[in-house]
């Protein structure tokens, strides 16, 4: 008996099969003519109320748009405000804060690593420049440049440093390229 009472007092919503059964049921034979007329009148009244509510909603939406236009608010401003609000909300989440912390820490480590690599490269270049091989190469270049200057007829016969020799050679090259004094074929260097 208890199971039957529980089945009658079920509080669960109708299942799909129960809804189908209700849709197929014909209640017109159960209703009297008076009840049918009352339901038809109620149906017409509900349809009229829905139409009226739609009209009121439409009028209120138009009024809202007018107010927003008067205040200078438009769709773009609303989108900006929504985006700003969403961005702020996202930045306050724990996941964003954790990710930001992690990336910041990784960026600091990468910066330190690049700094160390740059220092190591600079040190290697410094060591290379002070190496006997580079010194020997520098001396050979100086000797070659000095001998060329002597053959060409340069007035400075002192050796000078590698940088001074390169600068003077570059200066002499730029004068020749820019229309400086030209040598005639008889004055050309004969090797």
């Amino acid at each position: 008996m208890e199971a039957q009472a529980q089945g009658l007092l079920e509080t669960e919503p109708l299942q799909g099969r129960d809804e189908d059964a209700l849709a197929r049921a014909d209640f017109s034979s159960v209703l009297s003519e008076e009840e049918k007329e009352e339901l038809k009148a109620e149906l017409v009244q509900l349809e009229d109320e829905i139409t009226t509510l739609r009209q009121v909603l439409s009028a209120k939406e138009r009024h809202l748009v007018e107010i927003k236009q008067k205040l200078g608010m438009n769709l773009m401003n609303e989108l900006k405000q929504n985006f700003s609000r969403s961005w702020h909300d996202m930045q306050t989440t724990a996941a964003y804060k954790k990710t930001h912390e992690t990336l910041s820490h990784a960026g600091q480590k990468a910066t330190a690593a690049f700094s160390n690599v740059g220092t190591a490269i600079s040190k290697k270049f410094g060591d290379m420049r002070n190496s006997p091989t580079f010194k020997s190469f520098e001396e050979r270049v100086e000797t070659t440049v000095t001998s060329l200057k002597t053959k060409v007829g340069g007035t400075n016969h002192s050796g000078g440093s590698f940088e001074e020799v390169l600068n003077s050679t570059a200066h002499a090259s730029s004068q020749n390229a820019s229309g400086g004094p030209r040598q005639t074929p008889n004055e050309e260097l004969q090797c």
Side-chain angles (χ1 to χ4, degrees):
M1 176 100 176
E2 194 173 301
Q4 289 176 345
Q6 191 177 22
L8 294 175
L9 300 175
E10 272 188 31
T11 57
E12 292 183 28
L14 293 175
Q15 301 296 325
R17 58 188 163 86
D18 294 336
E19 290 173 355
D20 291 340
L22 283 176
R24 285 186 303 235
D26 185 16
F27 291 108
S28 59
S29 62
V30 178
L31 298 174
S32 68
E33 286 299 317
E34 186 178 305
E35 290 173 330
K36 287 181 185 179
E37 291 300 319
E38 285 178 15
L39 288 175
K40 286 181 183 178
E42 187 178 348
L43 180 64
V44 169
Q45 183 182 1
L46 281 174
E47 288 174 344
D48 288 343
E49 287 177 4
I50 290 172
T51 303
T52 304
L53 288 173
R54 284 185 179 146
Q55 291 171 348
V56 169
L57 179 63
S58 178
K60 294 222 179 248
E61 286 176 338
R62 281 192 302 270
H63 187 64
L64 175 72
V65 169
E66 290 171 3
I67 291 174
K68 284 183 178 183
Q69 287 175 345
K70 287 178 183 177
L71 291 174
M73 297 171 66
N74 59 18
L75 180 62
M76 188 55 103
N77 288 340
E78 287 185 46
L79 289 174
K80 285 179 186 177
Q81 289 174 351
N82 288 342
F83 179 74
S84 295
R85 193 174 316 120
S86 298
W87 179 249
H88 179 267
D89 292 346
M90 185 188 73
Q91 285 179 324
T92 58
T93 62
Y96 177 85
K97 288 178 182 177
K98 180 72 175 168
T99 303
H100 180 70
E101 258 180 41
T102 303
L103 291 177
S104 176
H105 187 64
Q108 290 171 353
K109 283 187 174 184
T111 301
F114 285 132
S115 176
N116 290 342
V117 167
T119 303
I121 290 173
S122 296
K123 186 175 186 282
K124 286 291 182 186
F125 278 133
D127 292 347
M128 185 179 76
R129 182 146 189 216
N130 292 329
S131 72
T133 306
F134 189 81
K135 293 280 186 191
S136 171
F137 173 73
E138 185 177 27
E139 289 171 3
R140 286 184 195 154
V141 170
E142 285 178 11
T143 305
T144 304
V145 170
T146 303
S147 68
L148 283 174
K149 286 177 93 176
T150 304
K151 288 181 181 179
V152 172
T155 56
N156 185 5
H157 295 291
S158 65
S161 71
F162 182 65
E163 287 86 11
E164 290 172 351
V165 172
L166 287 177
N167 286 337
S168 67
T169 306
H171 181 66
S173 297
S174 67
Q175 280 185 342
N176 286 341
S178 65
R182 293 193 171 248
Q183 296 178 346
T184 60
N186 293 338
E187 295 177 333
E188 286 182 8
L189 180 66
Q190 296 179 357
C191 295

